[in-house]
Amino acid sequence: MTPQSAAPLDVVVSETPCLNCGAPLTHLYCAACGQHRVDLAAPTWHLLRDALSDATDLDGRILRTVRALASPGKLTIDFLRGRREPYIGPAKLFLTAGAALSTTWLLTRSVDGRYYGYNAGGSAAAYINSFVRGLFAASFAIAITGWALARGRRRLFDEVVFALHIVATVALWIAVVIWAATGWKVAWGTVTRVPSSVPSLIYLLFLPAAAAALAYTGVALRRVFGGPWWAATLRTLLIAIIGLGAIWLAIAVRVG
């Protein structure tokens, strides 16, 4: 057989149609719905190998997404240019970040209670859910604001993708900061043991972290959408105000 007449390596000779949509199968993946060819009679070791491969691929996408987030704007630029397969999608990234932040709060509440001397036994589920809902609302408020500031010259879709990426990054950053603060609280035990000469966590950690988040957003804005630095700076401040306002409103409505 000549190289020209050789069949592609992924061609599968199968009389069984796709088990998901019923379309004829000629390759490892269904041309109609994209599902991988399923062999119901496959041995156990083959199924375990496929499951391990899927889990490894998911972990790889997570790691690649996190590495892209470390460079402001890179994930959005790649996504809008069509390079999407290596990364987690914007909506899934947002949900993952929200879950990570919620889990962080739940796991660190007892440490906060001991450090500040209050009862952490009550349920904080309603507050956490409201905050995550506020992040979701903030994403769309930021996107609509950016689209309006651009006077519709950019697609609203592009603004939504950017907003989801930024809000997800900030949520993950908040989770990291909370864990850092938790380590500090565990080391000291209670707030009364911290020497008066040591700055409080607000000045030592929280304000610098907020400044870093603002700087990250400004750099990402300029890389993705261009424009002068002063415009990116003003829009960053506007994003912060709108985002915080959406979160506050979500919490206030829930509590009220």
Side-chain angles (χ1 to χ4, degrees), residues 135-147:
L135 290 176
F136 189 72
S139 299
F140 284 94
I142 290 170
I144 292 173
T145 300
W147 181 76

Side-chain angles (χ1 to χ4, degrees), residues 12-66:
V12 177
V13 179
S14 175
E15 297 180 357
T16 303
C18 173
L19 298 179
N20 181 56
C21 68
L25 275 177
T26 57
H27 294 74
L28 290 177
Y29 292 89
C30 176
C33 69
Q35 175 171 289
H36 191 280
R37 182 177 65 93
V38 178
D39 184 2
L40 297 179
T44 301
W45 71 267
H46 183 78
L47 299 176
L48 292 176
R49 185 188 65 182
D50 287 348
L52 180 61
S53 176
D54 290 342
T56 303
D57 181 64
L58 177 61
D59 291 343
R61 294 179 70 186
I62 291 174
L63 292 176
R64 287 192 294 270
T65 301
V66 171

Side-chain angles (χ1 to χ4, degrees), residues 68-69 71-78 162 165-166 216 219-221 223-224:
L69 288 177
S71 177
K74 174 177 172 53
L75 188 61
T76 305
I77 291 172
D78 282 354
F162 175 79
H165 284 164
I166 284 295
Y216 179 98
V219 173
L221 266 170
R223 286 182 177 177
V224 174

